Amino acid sequence: MNASLRRVGVVGGGQMGAGIAEVCARAGLDTVVCEADATAAHAARDRVTASLARAVEKGKLDRAAAEDALARLVFTGSLDDLADRHLVIEAVVENPDVKTEVFAALDKIVEDPGAILATNTSSIPVMRLGMATRRADRVVGLHFFNPVPVLPLVEVVASLHTAPEAVTAVEDFAAALGKSVVRSQDRAGFVVNALLIPYLLSAVRMAESGFATAADVDAGMELGCAHPMGPLKLADLIGLDTVASIAESLYEEFKEPLYAPPPLLQRMVQAGLLGRKTGRGFHVYGKG
């Protein structure tokens, strides 16, 4: 592990942030997770604890290693507790205004001028976030995939201002977490979502038009193309609000019709039918 990045902060303790924090702690790093308040911080701790317990139950991790990882984690409701971090990874909601506010605040709080501020955004240009700081050369995209402890990919994204040594440092950091890295240009969606989102939106349009049911769309891609999960199940897993946000970011940048979120997707988001996390999206899920 790069000695200069041993103290890590994660802003946001939801599904993605908790996963990022878990893999950092499992890699032996001193990790602080910041949430909006103490209640949310407690919920983030419960999320990581449950994930570690599942890993132990499945034989992916021994109990002592899980306990050691949890001992390396601190959960807080204050950004000020990230002041001494070498690397801070932002993993809050996929909203450019919210993320910009976080980066502006971190720029003032994180004391080391050489510290790296990374974003886990899946679609928002890194340049926009970097320009909210006075250290755009130290701002980089570090996009993990859900579930973070399982999926091996990280996209590393440099803006026009990001220093080459910052890119190298986060690539080494990701490799030390056991992740494989692909580099992307700083364009909305990067590599994976620029390809994935039009596919998901096409599936939504197919269901919306009545061309095929959601179940048949998913079965077709699982059984006919050997995909491990159909596109509408995958959209439900990602969260339909997140899919819509990424689509809007892509459409704003490229103005291509294939990136425009379909009306059905927008209505489902407005109705709070967001997929697995709410129990209903294109499919219905149990509360557990």
Side-chain angles (χ1 to χ4, degrees), residues 32-286:
V32 176
V33 182
C34 181
E35 257 291 0
D37 52 39
T39 300
H42 185 76
R45 182 182 180 87
D46 289 346
R47 205 168 282 121
V48 176
T49 301
S51 178
L52 288 168
R54 285 193 298 271
V56 171
E57 184 180 337
K58 293 177 180 177
K60 305 290 185 183
L61 189 68
D62 65 58
R63 191 169 302 280
E67 291 172 354
D68 286 347
L70 199 56
R72 295 187 190 99
L73 286 159
V74 172
F75 296 83
T76 178
S78 173
L79 278 176
D80 290 338
D81 292 330
L82 303 179
D84 67 342
R85 301 291 93 181
H86 299 136
L87 168 66
V88 179
I89 304 168
E90 167 276 314
V92 301
V93 64
E94 192 70 1
N95 178 297
D97 295 331
V98 174
K99 288 181 184 290
T100 299
E101 288 180 12
V102 169
F103 272 82
L106 289 173
D107 185 44
K108 296 179 175 69
I109 290 168
V110 178
E111 295 169 351
D112 182 358
I116 295 174
L117 306 182
T119 175
N120 185 58
T121 181
S122 53
S123 63
I124 298 166
V126 174
M127 177 64 77
R128 177 170 180 172
L129 303 178
M131 294 305 288
T133 76
R134 296 160 298 176
R135 55 175 100 188
D137 61 320
R138 310 301 293 172
V139 175
V140 63
L142 194 59
H143 180 216
F144 293 80
F145 290 81
N146 184 41
V148 179
V150 176
L151 293 187
L153 184 67
V154 173
E155 289 180 313
V156 171
V157 186
S159 80
L160 293 174
H161 280 309
T162 307
E165 57 269 25
V167 175
T168 299
V170 296
E171 286 183 335
D172 291 346
F173 169 81
L177 298 182
K179 302 299 184 183
S180 296
V181 171
V182 295
R183 284 196 186 191
S184 171
Q185 295 293 316
D186 187 19
R187 301 290 185 271
F190 314 136
V191 173
V192 174
N193 279 316
L195 294 169
L196 176 63
I197 294 300
Y199 163 62
L200 300 185
L201 300 182
S202 293
V204 174
R205 294 186 186 101
M206 186 169 280
E208 180 179 49
S209 70
F211 189 92
T213 66
D216 283 347
V217 169
D218 284 338
M221 296 310 294
E222 291 168 10
L223 303 178
C225 294
H227 287 202
M229 183 180 294
L232 298 176
K233 288 180 185 175
L234 179 55
D236 280 350
L237 177 64
I238 294 168
L240 301 188
D241 52 341
T242 301
V243 172
S245 293
I246 298 170
E248 288 162 3
S249 181
L250 285 162
Y251 185 71
E252 180 182 350
E253 175 130 325
F254 297 109
K255 300 298 188 292
E256 294 281 357
L258 78 166
Y259 293 127
L264 175 60
L265 179 62
Q266 295 172 318
R267 297 297 176 270
M268 292 177 75
V269 171
Q270 291 166 357
L273 306 177
L274 307 181
R276 282 186 176 273
K277 60 188 172 185
T278 60
R280 180 182 164 195
F282 287 98
H283 302 279
V284 177
Y285 305 90

